Amino acid sequence: MALKLQSPTSSHPGDCSFAIEQVAVVEPRTRFCSCSANRTPAIRGFTLIEMLVVLGIIAVLMSMLFVVLNKAQTSANKIHCMGNLRQITMALHLYAGDNRGKLPDPAICDLPWEATLKSYLPTMKIFLCRADAELGPTNGSSYDWRDTGDPNSTLAGRKITEAQWNVIVTFEALPGWHQKSRMNVSRLDGSCEEMDDQKAIKEIQLPIHK
């Protein structure tokens, strides 16, 4: 509030009294602009270098992931292959049990050795190794067995009791499907392992007798 003096109110000469009137003073308001409060901040984009760095990191991660997945797939194929060999070896045991202890002799049966085991296996796909892109797709079998043609080392037509229990019975027909210069084998006792291909071939040529 402010005080304001008015002209004398008395009509008598010499009377200098004044009237005091309260006057409201309106202070000027500070004006604010609301435009800045609602303004959207500018969005900064990626630079070319930043984009290249991100793409490079993604490429490295993808390559690492590919290596891990490839190793996992190779390991899974190897385990599946050994499972096939074990089932085939067990089928040979069942065949011998039904044939006076003798293992199949393809030359006498006039049948491929795989066909002689058909009734002892749930499916003939057991003869296919997942890693085999050579033999299996063409002749229907990725494996071979100890039919060497040598009377000392062959199991064809022999009594199963004539052989040592740790002799190699079934094996991959070609090495290198899972690892270079390596092959999976199954022994007469049903155990399976991965071996150096040259060592496995030499062992298959050894006599089977105890």
Side-chain angles (χ1 to χ4, degrees):
M1 302 294 289
L3 300 179
K4 180 180 179 181
L5 296 178
Q6 293 183 348
S7 302
T9 56
S10 175
S11 57
H12 300 284
D15 189 353
C16 296
S17 60
F18 293 87
I20 299 175
E21 180 183 358
Q22 292 183 345
V23 178
V25 178
V26 179
E27 297 181 357
R29 296 182 180 179
T30 303
R31 299 183 63 186
F32 295 94
C33 179
S34 60
C35 299
S36 59
N38 296 328
R39 184 179 300 168
T40 303
I43 300 176
R44 176 180 172 272
F46 288 104
T47 64
L48 178 60
I49 295 179
E50 290 172 337
M51 288 292 291
L52 292 176
V53 170
V54 172
L55 291 175
I57 293 173
I58 293 175
V60 171
L61 293 176
M62 289 295 291
S63 62
M64 293 173 63
L65 181 61
F66 177 78
V67 172
V68 172
L69 292 177
N70 187 52
K71 288 183 178 180
Q73 184 65 43
T74 300
S75 179
N77 288 341
K78 185 188 300 183
I79 294 172
H80 183 267
C81 176
M82 289 185 178
N84 289 346
L85 289 170
R86 182 178 289 108
Q87 290 190 70
I88 295 170
T89 299
M90 292 299 102
L92 287 167
H93 278 271
L94 294 174
Y95 179 94
D98 289 342
N99 292 272
R100 295 177 295 177
K102 287 188 175 182
L103 292 166
D105 189 342
I108 295 177
C109 299
D110 197 24
L111 285 173
W113 73 281
E114 296 93 343
T116 61
L117 302 179
K118 183 177 181 180
S119 59
Y120 301 98
L121 294 169
T123 173
M124 295 299 284
K125 290 183 178 180
I126 288 177
F127 287 100
L128 297 176
C129 175
R130 291 177 179 175
D132 172 22
E134 302 173 77
L135 299 180
T138 56
N139 61 20
S141 179
S142 305
Y143 306 116
D144 204 348
W145 81 300
R146 200 180 182 115
D147 183 4
T148 64
D150 181 356
N152 292 320
S153 60
T154 189
L155 283 174
R158 306 294 290 273
K159 283 194 173 183
I160 197 170
T161 54
E162 295 182 42
Q164 301 180 65
W165 283 92
N166 64 342
V167 298
I168 296 175
V169 181
T170 55
F171 46 91
E172 291 179 308
L174 290 176
W177 287 335
H178 307 285
Q179 188 175 345
K180 185 178 180 180
S181 301
R182 308 286 290 180
M183 62 190 301
N184 292 335
V185 304
S186 177
R187 300 183 181 275
L188 192 59
D189 61 1
S191 62
C192 298
E193 62 180 288
E194 183 188 68
M195 297 182 63
D196 176 79
D197 59 340
Q198 296 302 316
K199 182 179 179 180
I201 291 171
K202 288 180 180 179
E203 188 172 332
I204 292 168
Q205 294 172 349
L206 293 175
I208 63 169
H209 298 287
K210 297 179 180 179

